[in-house]
Amino acid sequence: MKFRPFFIAFLATITLFAQEHIHKSSRALEFPNVPGYITLKTDLHQHTVFSDGNVWPTIRVGEALRDNLDVISLTEHLEYQPHKADIPHPDRNRSYEIALKEAKDHDLMIIHGSEITRQAPMGHSNAIFIEDANKILHNEAKDAFGEAKKQGAFVFWNHPAWYAQSPTGNPILSEFQKERIKNGELHGIEVINVGDYAEESLALALENNLTIMGTSDIHGLIDWDYVGKGIDRPVTLVFAKERTPESLQEALFAGRTVAVFNSLFVGKKEHLVPLLQASLVIEKANYIDKTSILEVTLTNVTSSDLLLENQMEYTFYSSSPVFTIPAGETKTLNIKTLEKKDSVTLTLKALSAYVAPKEQAVIDWEIKVE
Amino acid sequence: MKFRPFFIAFLATITLFAQEHIHKSSRALEFPNVPGYITLKTDLHQHTVFSDGNVWPTIRVGEALRDNLDVISLTEHLEYQPHKADIPHPDRNRSYEIALKEAKDHDLMIIHGSEITRQAPMGHSNAIFIEDANKILHNEAKDAFGEAKKQGAFVFWNHPAWYAQSPTGNPILSEFQKERIKNGELHGIEVINVGDYAEESLALALENNLTIMGTSDIHGLIDWDYVGKGIDRPVTLVFAKERTPESLQEALFAGRTVAVFNSLFVGKKEHLVPLLQASLVIEKANYIDKTSILEVTLTNVTSSDLLLENQMEYTFYSSSPVFTIPAGETKTLNIKTLEKKDSVTLTLKALSAYVAPKEQAVIDWEIKVE
Amino acid sequence: MKFRPFFIAFLATITLFAQEHIHKSSRALEFPNVPGYITLKTDLHQHTVFSDGNVWPTIRVGEALRDNLDVISLTEHLEYQPHKADIPHPDRNRSYEIALKEAKDHDLMIIHGSEITRQAPMGHSNAIFIEDANKILHNEAKDAFGEAKKQGAFVFWNHPAWYAQSPTGNPILSEFQKERIKNGELHGIEVINVGDYAEESLALALENNLTIMGTSDIHGLIDWDYVGKGIDRPVTLVFAKERTPESLQEALFAGRTVAVFNSLFVGKKEHLVPLLQASLVIEKANYIDKTSILEVTLTNVTSSDLLLENQMEYTFYSSSPVFTIPAGETKTLNIKTLEKKDSVTLTLKALSAYVAPKEQAVIDWEIKVE
Amino acid sequence: MKFRPFFIAFLATITLFAQEHIHKSSRALEFPNVPGYITLKTDLHQHTVFSDGNVWPTIRVGEALRDNLDVISLTEHLEYQPHKADIPHPDRNRSYEIALKEAKDHDLMIIHGSEITRQAPMGHSNAIFIEDANKILHNEAKDAFGEAKKQGAFVFWNHPAWYAQSPTGNPILSEFQKERIKNGELHGIEVINVGDYAEESLALALENNLTIMGTSDIHGLIDWDYVGKGIDRPVTLVFAKERTPESLQEALFAGRTVAVFNSLFVGKKEHLVPLLQASLVIEKANYIDKTSILEVTLTNVTSSDLLLENQMEYTFYSSSPVFTIPAGETKTLNIKTLEKKDSVTLTLKALSAYVAPKEQAVIDWEIKVE
């Protein structure tokens, strides 16, 4: 007690001198809104010392702010508690509570979540938008899912292709999971986990109308596993009507997501195509003097490099038909339209954007010539 | 005369202190040999003060050494002499002679060349492996081509899609050029000139069995037009039996080339596929313990980023089906073969490597599992 | 219990795919040995979740390996326990035990330590090389120091100039501390803490013959507070007879240290001068042909930039009298010796290396001309 | 003639596609104006193909624009003409005329100059602000200087310490030069030439009241000799009353210059001190709450790193007494003033700024506390 005044000074001082200006940095993720929706950048699968992670929850908040996320969830394993010797009687809600307090002065939503952890064939699942994690801790997996549903949780299957649980890397739905889906107790599936995009998981998502998810599943530091390797953490972009937890939850149940990992985008066609359309902004379009060559300037407003291929009948002047527009950069395409036109449809395939296994998104932009 | 001893000291001193260590730098171009042939890196279309360029020929030698080229040709416009006021009576061989002297202590071939410069429909053409540039200067284009042939020259059409000569950017062969081809006076065509890859020029090359060329057409500085913009100069890779001018000439007449501009490769299938096969070296291949996931490590031994797409029935663990292996870097692919195999055929499409308009190269590697 | 086999697989897999190759990176600290001693790179003031830090002790081990340290100590506040709600009955030795286990397969020494935390005038002090941290927790600071001494601890005063405890930033020794020194219970003093080099602390070290220390005092992440800002963590270089904890302890009691923070070095003359002498290696020395200009090539073998000023009667050709040799780089000095000599004494002042307040180290190198 | 319309199109097109946006780049030199004067960035010693350089004069204009210079002079050797075989009857004014035409749409002054080239003891000298270079070409050096004076030229001695002319690297004034100074025919001296700062030349400048000059003496490419090595070209900053050739000439005759090469500044005290004062701008100054620590924020508005050392009686919190403020960056100094003050004189030594051999500039800034 007697330390109180002192330590307030202590902390104030550290803050003063650490000069930790958290601002939008080169690692900040950026994606545009789409017509009718706000695009929320989320990472809904993370761990701290409250299960098998290696950091206090405050670090997860700091990482999220540096990465410019809108939403995180700390999904501690309910059952797996390797730090039990030091954190002996864990209230499973603590990780959430600490993060919530840390984030209170920032524009970052903390969603209450937990990981229900079982061996195959049940596997690992995250339940988010829960009310009390302690109540979800049950011996029977079935009871855990039942309680999650009771709390109104959105539940998704983690890393289905993980070979410790799926030795060939080719996941199949178990009877247990089929029943959960039927009962409205399982709603999503990770299609990207850590660095792994599993085409088979995408197939399962489409076949069973599950929400497509991408997560970092971070245990150590985002700086070591991602940033320091020159890559971004995987995220789920959620297209919400408003910037609120309720809207986020509605959007997840409605399946309005795209999973993103660096330049890789995975989503249902109806969500991925509008996202890419909004991601590439036409700055200007005019004919080069005395030619039938249309000069179109495009800006990639996302933090992901966009890898594109010409799908028009017209060819390009001074650009390969396959080209990259790096994150945040502008490129000029010179389209040989053979004669001058008032408007042209620019059609590009996004080579690293999947709407189904092996099927890439094709996007049109209507260009009015100036 | 009296300055001689002094100026020898002068030049020696400058060399001593300039400390211009020309070594393989980050801008050095690198491409592997292919079975049966040595891969020569060439830039066979360049200008100096002896026509409309802005540097003395020695600078072109310095640029080539920095770029790790094997061969250059200084192809001055025979007819266009904007520096005539200061260089009044140009011997059209001077550019070649000065470069030859500058290069004599380096492993760089200088090929004697000239540009025959006409308006459309004849256009611009480079004649290389010539003996005397002065004799090629004729009023009639036909006579110029005739003399070039007499000297044994290899002749190629420059920038066919250049819109100053082809207003739509879509070149067609003129009657004059058709006759030159028939007479054995026109042998190649630029498919990449400056930054422009013209699919239409590739079509012409394939239809008329012309040698595929890529050149910088540099007038100013390679450092300003390419290196400083973060890009490489375009080159023609020539697959020669030996590292001699004669072998180079034989290979050009035989059409054994691939044009390269950064990550873009353009060539006939029989030359491009072996080049890409040699460009990606399998370092090791083994199954991850207790799984049917084959771990294959590949190194890109070129100075170009390679952009690839999985074409196998098997999917990947921890890698997108579309991926880049940056220049000089190594990547591990984890292939889900579903059961353990002794050998696997890795099949990838090189997304930025064209064997025909809109047709990309597909390459197989036979992998023996360790 | 039933999770055991599963979670072993779980952890093995994470390790497999995280591919966390800890190798000497650009952030790795490097300093040479000096005649008679091994130079140990240490950071002996750090915190984890076991006091007011934000990471599990394993992260501190990972940071130390990335920074190429030889020794760390996790010095939790014995008295200040803000995580008490979640870690309710902390054994004050746990932080040490966990780090020790994590480091067991690495060449990293973990030294058992604790921070005795009091308000001014007693202040904060680290006791390292302790046996049982719990026994040092006492109401009376005097008793804490007494117990530390009983355990054989090396004790140093933390951040004396910290203005929360020293409002002018100008520290003075309290009566309490003077008594500790007299009793052999206080042996060192931080001259560099976080980013602060306090000249006044150096004066106190020299006046009272205290060991000069530099530490990071890290609470958050080294990646955020240092690496991400383009700076190194402060360290104490300790000159030990052998690479053992016993030798390290002997060296600390003997005061053989230099504190380093980026390009700043602070130490007693007898330790700093040999370190700098070893830090700059003469590669070759010869006269430029037909001149009396001696060309001397030097390599900076440390990870710190060295900022130097000519102190000779001779001037330089082609170098400013004040110059930097960046970390790991080589520079050639051209010394105008006016006539040719067989040997020359190169004398440089290290502008950013202090042996006393405002007094910089001057170093001689005897150069034999080849 | 018939090529005219064609080649106009040709050049226009090249310009169009080269997209050579010459803008202020990372290599752009920046220095502030000083009270009463405009600071002009000049490089008044350069060569092209019109003497022993390797580029057409247009390249020198392009380099100057990229380097953000205000003034250049192309000072061809009148006597040394190694390209005579190809440029047989050189009008010594041509280099100037071509550069003038190239620069006409840019904010770059071209000053007419020539190099009078003799062996030691007369050496090399540049005459600038001349009217007709041809008339300065004389057998007798004395006559050349006489004619230069007649034309109103400002004349400076090039690279006095160059060991090809001064074997010890220690220059002395010849009788010839003393006479030229007496006659008003020699006004300045290069103190920095290429990368060489000669303290002896600075001594000569001060003893004889000669204008201090710094030049690149470029023969090849600025990109290869400077930019590509990570260094800047040497320049002479001239403090002119207006941005006109006449003002520049007046300032040079009046000796108002500072020579700069990267972080090295050399000038007379009355010019160097105001330049450095203007180079470091105080952004704000306030006491840290509840302390006597004054927080002062400074911005280095130049393109040179500034290397500084505290010269006050007060010490710093959180900064070494020796520190660098990199080009264009801002740094906060925390000054321990021991008690709160309304104003403080900040005194710093610029460690790499010389007002005399071995004497560095010391600068005061009056700081009003907010």
Side-chain angles (χ1 to χ4, degrees), chain D residues 243-259:
Chain D
R243 192 186 171 81
T244 62
E246 295 69 28
S247 274
L248 174 75
Q249 191 172 11
E250 183 275 336
L252 283 167
F253 276 117
R256 293 198 304 273
T257 63
V258 167

Side-chain angles (χ1 to χ4, degrees), chain A residues 262-273:
Chain A
N262 298 307
S263 60
L264 173 67
F265 294 74
V266 183
K268 288 170 190 159
K269 193 178 291 184
E270 60 266 37
H271 309 124
L272 185 44
V273 167

Side-chain angles (χ1 to χ4, degrees), chain B residues 2-3 6-7 10-11 13-14 16-20 27 49-50 52 54-56 58-59 62-63 66 79-80 83 86-88 94 98 117 119 124 162-165 219 221 223-225 229, chain D residues 2-3 6-7 10-11 13 16-20 27 49-50 52 54-56 58-59 62-63 66 77 79-80 83 86-88 94 98 117 119 124 162-165 219 221 223-225 229:
Chain B
K2 64 182 169 182
F3 283 108
F6 165 73
F7 281 112
F10 183 89
L11 292 170
T13 303
I14 282 182
L16 187 67
F17 274 86
Q19 294 181 320
E20 204 170 301
R27 70 189 268 184
V49 297
F50 284 94
D52 58 344
N54 295 314
V55 302
W56 199 248
T58 51
I59 295 289
E63 291 170 337
R66 281 168 168 79
E79 304 81 359
Y80 182 50
H83 298 156
D86 300 291
I87 308 178
R94 282 297 289 157
I98 294 168
T117 315
Q119 296 195 44
H124 296 198
W162 179 35
Y163 63 69
Q165 296 197 332
H219 288 72
L221 301 184
D223 287 72
W224 292 356
D225 289 356
K229 293 176 175 166
Chain D
K2 64 181 169 183
F3 284 108
F6 165 74
F7 280 110
F10 182 89
L11 292 170
T13 303
L16 186 68
F17 274 85
Q19 294 181 321
E20 205 169 298
R27 69 190 269 183
V49 297
F50 285 93
D52 58 344
N54 294 313
V55 301
W56 199 248
T58 50
I59 296 288
E63 290 170 340
R66 281 169 169 80
H77 297 285
E79 305 82 0
Y80 182 51
H83 297 156
D86 300 290
I87 307 177
R94 281 297 288 157
I98 295 169
T117 316
Q119 296 195 44
H124 295 199
W162 179 34
Y163 61 69
Q165 296 197 335
H219 288 73
L221 302 184
D223 288 72
W224 292 356
D225 288 358
K229 291 174 177 169

Side-chain angles (χ1 to χ4, degrees), chain A residues 2-3 6-7 9-11 13-14 16-20 27 49-50 52-56 58-59 62-63 66 77 79-80 83 85-88 94 98 117-119 124 139 159 162-165 219-221 223-225 229, chain C residues 2-3 6-7 9-11 13-14 16-20 27 49-50 52-56 58-59 62-63 66 77 79-80 83 85-88 94 98 117-119 124 139 159 162-165 219-221 223-225 229:
Chain A
K2 65 180 171 187
F3 283 108
F6 165 73
F7 280 112
F10 182 88
L11 292 170
T13 303
I14 280 184
L16 186 68
F17 274 85
Q19 294 180 321
E20 205 169 298
R27 70 189 268 183
V49 297
F50 284 93
D52 58 344
N54 295 313
V55 301
W56 198 249
T58 50
I59 296 288
E63 290 171 337
R66 281 169 169 80
H77 296 285
E79 304 82 359
Y80 182 50
H83 297 155
D86 300 291
I87 306 177
R94 281 297 288 157
I98 295 168
T117 316
R118 293 296 185 284
Q119 295 195 42
H124 295 199
N139 276 338
H159 42 69
W162 180 33
Y163 61 69
Q165 295 197 332
H219 288 73
L221 302 184
D223 287 72
W224 292 356
D225 288 357
K229 292 175 177 169
Chain C
K2 64 180 169 182
F3 283 108
F6 164 74
F7 281 112
F10 182 89
L11 294 170
T13 302
I14 281 182
L16 185 67
F17 274 86
Q19 295 181 320
E20 205 169 298
R27 68 190 269 183
V49 296
F50 285 93
D52 58 344
N54 294 314
V55 301
W56 199 248
T58 50
I59 295 289
E63 289 170 340
R66 281 169 169 78
H77 297 286
E79 303 82 0
Y80 182 50
H83 297 156
D86 300 291
I87 307 178
R94 283 297 288 156
I98 294 169
T117 316
R118 293 295 185 284
Q119 295 195 44
H124 295 199
N139 277 338
H159 42 70
W162 180 34
Y163 62 71
Q165 296 197 332
H219 287 73
L221 302 185
D223 288 72
W224 292 355
D225 288 357
K229 292 174 177 169

Side-chain angles (χ1 to χ4, degrees), chain B residues 62-86:
Chain B
E63 291 170 337
L65 294 172
R66 281 168 168 79
D67 287 340
N68 197 34
L69 298 189
D70 301 295
V71 186
I72 61 170
S73 185
L74 305 184
T75 50
E76 313 298 352
H77 296 286
L78 288 170
E79 304 81 359
Y80 182 50
Q81 290 286 332
H83 298 156
K84 201 174 178 176
D86 300 291

